[in-house]
Amino acid sequence: MKMEQKWDDDEPTLIQALIDIQKGLGFLPPEKLREVATSFGISEAYIWGVATFYNIFRFKPRGKTHIKVCMGTACHLSGGGLVAEAAERELNIKVGETTDDQDFSLERVACVGCCMLAPVVVINDRVYPRMSPLKLEEVLIEFKRDKKED
Amino acid sequence: MIFEEIKKKATAYLQDLESTTNIRVGTPTCGKAAGADDVIIEFRKELEKKGLEIPLIEVGCMGLCFAEPLVAVFKPQMFTILYQNVNTQKVKRLIEGYIEGDDPCFEMALGTLEFDENGLPFIPELKRSEFEKRILLRRCGIVDPKNILHYIGLGGYKGLEQALGMSPDRVVKEINDSKLRGRGGAGFPTGIKWEKCANNSSKKKYVICNADEGDPGAFMDRVILESDPHQVIEGMLIAGYAVGANEGFIYIRAEYPMALEIVRNAKREAEEFGILGDSVLGSSFSFHLRIIEGAGAFVSGEETGLMAAIEGKRSEPRVRPPYPSEYGLFGRSTLIDNVKTFSYVPWIIENGAERFAKIGTENSKGTAIFTLAGKVKNPGLTEVPMGTTLRTIAYEIAGGAPNEREIKGIQIGGPSGGCIPNSLFDSPVDYEVLLSLGSMMGSGGMIFMDENDCVVDTAKFFLDFVQKESCGKCTMCRIGTLQLLHMMEKITKGLANLEDLDKLKNLAEDVKIGSLCGLGKSAPNPVLTTLHYFYDEYVAHVAEKRCPALVCKDLLAYFIVPAKCDRACEHCKLTCPTEAIGGVIGEPKYIIQDKCVKCGTCMNVCPPEYSAVIKVSPVDKLYELKEKGV
């Protein structure tokens, strides 16, 4: 019942605290989880248990360019799987991984709510509608070129 | 400020707005994805250039996703015209046409926006308007979601004011009489839930709004929260008053950042105006609201799982009873309802239970909201009276399948629902009818499938989803769904035999029985319904190693018909990601099957006048074709 006392607006719930950390850093580093455990007065193991249960939490940093391939139903029907495979092929990583140079990371998400534009890919929070393996390749070539010019 | 003064202020705001020409651009998540932000920037630029001071309002979504970006031009004493698929090039023409002048720019128009005698919006030019009844969506895409005065000006928070003048028992009775049923999917009578919570002796009670819309393919809760957030807050306030709760939570999934932002803003506004807080509208009733961000787990949509998530635990559902009304959040009596359920409440209080109960069928009252996605001409969102047939929704509203193909089936209710074949499209939308067909209302997500969609592959997709999302508490759900998935993979790879289909059915039924919560209980629905209604397709996969819809990759091959190939063109060869296309200029191209990853690029880039690339299934057909020298 101790947690119920933490109900003021200023005090985040455990999950909100984890979300806030991830929003800042892009992932949850172990030392941060330790800090949360101390401030909430609960064990670190409990926090790991909670954090690994939910889909949005990551424990490794993301790449500079983060690619989310939507695998919702509408996207699946219109070839989202082929787009995800194309991304894996182009970046030479599997879904859930980050490239060695930390430039790209790839993730599959379940529905971003743009079903009429299916299949969609979200790159750094911008939605790319009506993708195909070929279109994705072209977009990734652009990103890779920008990287080189940097 | 007392409510009378707020209302005056709101009326003044609205009169002011209505007395001038104003532009409303739909900028929900989907509108933005379609380019609405660029349209707004262009409007600002052009208006400034011309020195026009015309209000430009960002509104939510009307559910006409096929027409996004959608722009509405409101002119005093003139028709309100909706313009579809507006892009930056069209902005100037629109300003010079209808905004400055009298030219309605018909070529870009979708139709006019009108209101019926009950104040519900419709678009006479769209045939779907004849079949729709927009109660929940009546303000969506019209009201400014970031301005509480607009909401109040259009009659918002009147239901709350009325409720506060009634006794809590009377409010509960009204909801009971309306026969409203939970729109979260299971359809439990809302009034009974409220009554149980109201009668509970717990001193502290909670109201929770479940906005953890996890079905991959349903987005109506997001649309309501992004387009008309105050409607939800008002419903929760009335619920809090009725059951005696002073604290509320809205649990919104973190994947909906815009909905979160808009609801947070709405909460702030309501607090400023004394609608949320210690003395709601100056009464002795207090209600505090908290917005909780969900961390992405499908199972959090289950009510006991959701409460565990708010408590900071793993989102594992627990045994019911005790129901949340008896033992809910932190052990207190809790009322938990879906976004849509709460949204109906203000309308019911304002218009009376009787009027609500007049709409719909014997046991399913009111309207139903469906998202339309997949293979239809007009994807989007629709609100129809319960009892409307699936055929009306599929053809009159969604417009049927594109490219003159036929709709084969509708998957209703996402991963928890089932697939209903075209032959049963005359069935009405109703909780019990859908259950009897093996599906369920569920989230209300409708995915339309045509001849080019493989039902086996789709069922496998849903299983893959629920298998990953199973919380792992019940063995049948944790391991049963995994085994089902393995079986489905065997089928789609052509490695199964007919006996496996019986095993699949048996295990699917066992998973239903052996699981605790709705996730496991409904997870086998897609498999069971497709097995029942589309058995032939399963047999084709198993016995002939053939995928009739040409979707399952292991059962098909790409083939370039030499006679059709324009030998000089090299589109396919240049774009193939794995260099799997052979043949030199002047010769027909051919696919090196060992290298082919079946991505379909060659088929997409082959110019339509040749259409030389085809898919064949079973794979053996390739040799046949080659022998015949096609």
Side-chain angles (χ1 to χ4, degrees):
Chain A
M1 253 337 114
K2 199 184 163 209
M3 271 193 217
E4 193 180 1
Q5 286 150 19
K6 285 186 166 279
W7 261 162
D8 316 327
D9 244 356
D10 325 323
E11 298 228 29
T13 64
L14 174 59
I15 290 167
Q16 190 68 53
L18 298 178
I19 290 175
D20 291 343
I21 293 173
Q22 176 152 308
K23 273 186 189 155
L25 300 172
F27 73 113
L28 298 177
E31 58 275 16
K32 281 283 172 191
L33 291 185
R34 214 164 297 143
E35 282 174 27
V36 175
T38 317
S39 77
F40 274 79
I42 35 182
S43 78
E44 223 181 305
Y46 182 92
I47 297 200
W48 276 97
V50 171
T52 50
F53 183 88
Y54 294 95
N55 293 333
I56 63 164
F57 296 123
R58 264 181 308 273
F59 304 94
K60 275 186 258 169
R62 328 199 279 199
K64 281 166 213 136
T65 302
H66 186 60
I67 301 160
K68 292 191 264 191
V69 183
C70 180
M71 295 293 262
T73 317
C75 289
H76 171 80
L77 284 181
S78 47
L82 296 174
V83 175
E85 279 172 24
E88 289 186 336
R89 209 165 40 231
E90 279 307 301
L91 300 170
N92 208 11
I93 50 171
K94 293 271 164 226
V95 166
E97 293 178 348
T98 305
T99 52
D100 289 338
D101 54 11
Q102 306 285 313
D103 276 349
F104 293 95
S105 50
L106 183 62
E107 188 184 25
R108 55 177 275 174
V109 291
C111 204
V112 288
C114 306
C115 302
M116 70 290 176
L117 303 170
V120 300
V121 173
V122 183
I123 305 179
N124 293 343
D125 290 330
R126 185 178 149 198
V127 177
Y128 290 76
R130 297 193 184 91
M131 293 305 279
S132 68
L134 185 62
K135 273 194 193 165
L136 182 78
E137 267 176 47
E138 283 164 0
V139 172
L140 288 182
I141 288 170
E142 288 288 311
F143 271 95
K144 283 182 183 165
R145 188 186 302 143
D146 291 349
K147 281 269 144 63
K148 269 189 199 145
E149 279 168 12
D150 287 347
Chain B
M1 205 188 299
I2 57 167
F3 194 52
E4 284 310 316
E5 279 175 43
I6 300 173
K7 272 199 282 195
K8 258 185 220 155
K9 209 171 147 188
T11 315
Y13 165 81
L14 202 66
Q15 274 170 356
D16 221 28
L17 187 68
E18 279 170 358
S19 64
T20 57
T21 300
N22 61 84
I23 308 163
R24 300 185 201 175
V25 185
T27 54
T29 304
C30 38
K32 278 190 197 284
D37 278 343
D38 294 338
V39 171
I40 291 204
I41 293 169
E42 187 69 18
F43 259 118
R44 288 224 175 90
K45 218 168 76 191
E46 285 296 320
L47 290 174
E48 201 176 318
K49 229 192 263 173
K50 289 184 177 288
L52 292 170
E53 274 189 34
I54 288 174
L56 187 64
I57 302 173
E58 293 186 28
V59 293
C61 173
M62 284 194 180
L64 307 168
C65 300
F66 62 92
E68 299 275 9
L70 190 67
V71 173
V73 177
F74 286 68
K75 278 182 98 165
Q77 272 83 51
M78 301 272 275
F79 281 115
T80 300
I81 303 184
L82 298 168
Y83 296 96
Q84 59 181 336
N85 305 119
V86 177
N87 55 30
T88 47
Q89 284 100 50
K90 292 180 180 171
V91 166
K92 203 172 169 200
R93 162 95 180 95
L94 257 182
I95 293 180
E96 284 166 6
Y98 196 53
I99 294 164
E100 281 188 305
D102 291 326
D103 172 8
C105 304
F106 279 129
E107 75 281 6
M108 288 187 262
L110 175 73
T112 53
L113 179 67
E114 290 174 36
F115 294 87
D116 68 9
E117 66 278 11
N118 298 316
L120 303 182
F122 69 103
I123 301 161
E125 290 83 356
L126 290 189
K127 202 176 170 213
R128 63 192 274 164
S129 273
E130 286 172 37
F131 306 96
E132 290 186 311
K133 192 172 184 78
R134 293 174 166 250
I135 292 181
L136 284 199
L137 301 178
R138 67 190 182 280
R139 279 180 295 247
C140 292
I142 294 169
V143 72
D144 180 355
K146 289 188 175 167
N147 187 347
I148 192 172
L149 287 179
H150 202 165
Y151 179 76
I152 296 174
L154 292 170
Y157 288 113
K158 221 164 92 186
L160 172 67
E161 193 187 20
Q162 253 168 282
L164 291 175
M166 294 152 76
S167 72
D169 290 349
R170 183 80 192 78
V171 178
V172 174
K173 188 177 178 298
E174 201 67 23
I175 298 301
N176 240 330
D177 291 347
S178 73
K179 300 204 172 72
L180 173 67
R181 294 172 66 174
R183 294 300 199 257
F188 189 81
T190 308
I192 296 181
K193 218 189 229 184
W194 285 35
E195 203 174 276
K196 279 197 173 159
C197 192
N199 292 340
N200 193 288
S201 54
S202 178
K203 258 190 198 161
K204 192 167 190 173
K205 294 178 189 173
Y206 296 113
V207 171
I208 301 177
C209 173
N210 182 347
D212 190 53
E213 184 172 50
D215 165 12
F219 47 88
M220 59 282 267
D221 291 355
R222 171 179 67 73
V223 165
I224 293 172
L225 292 170
E226 286 178 359
S227 312
D228 196 7
H230 286 288
Q231 181 171 243
V232 185
I233 295 178
E234 185 176 357
M236 290 181 73
L237 273 157
I238 296 172
Y241 174 73
V243 302
N246 304 107
E247 275 177 64
F249 298 89
I250 306 187
Y251 186 93
I252 306 176
R253 58 199 291 252
E255 289 90 333
Y256 287 170
M258 192 169 166
L260 275 160
E261 184 198 320
I262 287 183
V263 174
R264 284 198 175 113
N265 178 68
K267 178 200 163 196
R268 251 193 318 272
E269 283 183 297
E271 282 168 347
E272 271 167 34
F273 281 91
I275 291 166
L276 277 172
D278 282 333
S279 161
V280 172
L281 298 183
S283 72
S284 58
F285 169 60
S286 75
F287 195 80
H288 295 268
L289 188 66
R290 252 196 100 165
I291 292 148
I292 305 278
E293 233 174 294
F298 183 58
V299 73
S300 296
E302 201 278 344
E303 54 185 20
T304 57
L306 188 145
M307 292 187 300
I310 299 181
E311 289 171 0
K313 297 177 190 151
R314 291 163 72 99
S315 199
E316 285 175 358
R318 60 160 176 82
V319 184
R320 293 174 304 177
Y323 288 94
S325 57
E326 295 152 334
Y327 188 97
L329 189 64
F330 296 112
R332 317 280 191 181
S333 172
T334 303
L335 177 75
I336 174 162
D337 273 319
N338 170 270
V339 171
K340 295 172 288 275
T341 316
F342 280 124
S343 300
Y344 280 112
V345 169
W347 193 89
I348 293 173
I349 297 295
E350 258 176 73
N351 294 279
E354 208 181 310
R355 256 181 82 187
F356 186 81
K358 262 190 197 151
I359 310 165
T361 61
E362 177 74 35
N363 291 314
S364 304
K365 298 296 185 192
T367 56
I369 298 192
F370 293 104
T371 47
L372 317 168
K375 303 294 173 65
V376 279
K377 279 186 200 147
N378 304 328
L381 200 63
T382 191
E383 183 173 2
V384 291
M386 292 274 189
T388 306
T389 65
L390 294 174
R391 196 171 299 284
T392 305
I393 296 175
Y395 292 95
E396 307 296 347
I397 294 173
N403 305 328
E404 291 177 33
R405 288 197 295 260
E406 194 49 71
I407 297 177
K408 180 159 84 177
I410 313 177
Q411 171 80 25
I412 306 177
S416 316
C419 185
I420 296 178
N422 196 314
S423 57
L424 294 172
F425 279 5
D426 288 318
S427 316
V429 165
D430 174 288
Y431 287 98
E432 276 71 29
V433 171
L434 290 182
L435 270 181
S436 73
L437 298 176
S439 184
M440 65 189 281
M441 200 73 92
S443 56
M446 278 191 181
I447 303 284
F448 295 83
M449 289 186 267
D450 69 13
E451 299 134 66
N452 291 353
D453 297 312
C454 173
V455 293
V456 183
D457 177 71
T458 312
K460 186 183 83 177
F461 163 79
F462 284 122
L463 257 185
D464 181 49
F465 178 80
V466 286
Q467 185 271 323
K468 287 198 177 92
E469 293 292 339
S470 171
C471 79
K473 187 169 180 160
C474 308
T475 316
M476 282 314 270
C477 178
R478 181 181 67 244
I479 301 172
T481 54
L482 183 66
Q483 290 307 326
L484 284 175
L485 180 63
H486 288 332
M487 287 168 151
M488 293 298 283
E489 276 167 357
K490 244 172 101 180
I491 296 170
T492 54
K493 284 187 173 148
L495 301 171
N497 54 41
L498 282 170
E499 259 171 53
D500 287 330
L501 294 184
D502 294 331
K503 280 190 206 160
L504 181 74
K505 187 164 180 256
N506 289 340
L507 180 58
E509 278 162 357
D510 290 345
V511 170
K512 260 178 115 102
I513 301 166
S515 304
L516 186 66
C517 81
L519 189 147
K521 272 195 207 311
S522 62
N525 282 349
V527 172
L528 285 170
T529 48
T530 48
L531 261 176
H532 184 71
Y533 297 121
F534 299 94
Y535 192 69
D536 293 354
E537 284 200 31
Y538 278 86
V539 173
H541 281 75
V542 172
E544 300 169 44
K545 316 291 173 211
R546 177 173 69 90
C547 175
L550 300 169
V551 171
C552 297
K553 270 170 90 175
D554 294 287
L555 301 182
L556 67 86
Y558 283 84
F559 181 69
I560 300 175
V561 182
K564 283 189 170 181
C565 176
D566 175 79
R567 292 132 208 254
C569 136
E570 289 213 300
H571 282 70
C572 54
K573 201 173 171 181
L574 295 172
T575 52
C576 177
T578 55
E579 297 177 357
I581 293 183
V584 289
I585 288 193
E587 300 272 334
K589 310 294 173 298
Y590 59 88
I591 293 172
I592 306 160
Q593 297 293 339
D594 296 346
K595 282 188 175 179
C596 177
V597 290
K598 300 172 187 176
C599 69
T601 298
C602 51
M603 200 170 177
N604 290 338
V605 296
C606 185
E609 58 270 35
Y610 311 135
S611 302
V613 185
I614 57 166
K615 287 194 264 188
V616 295
S617 176
V619 180
D620 289 348
K621 220 172 161 185
L622 268 185
Y623 308 108
E624 240 173 78
L625 286 169
K626 278 183 189 158
E627 261 169 41
K628 273 193 219 156
V630 178

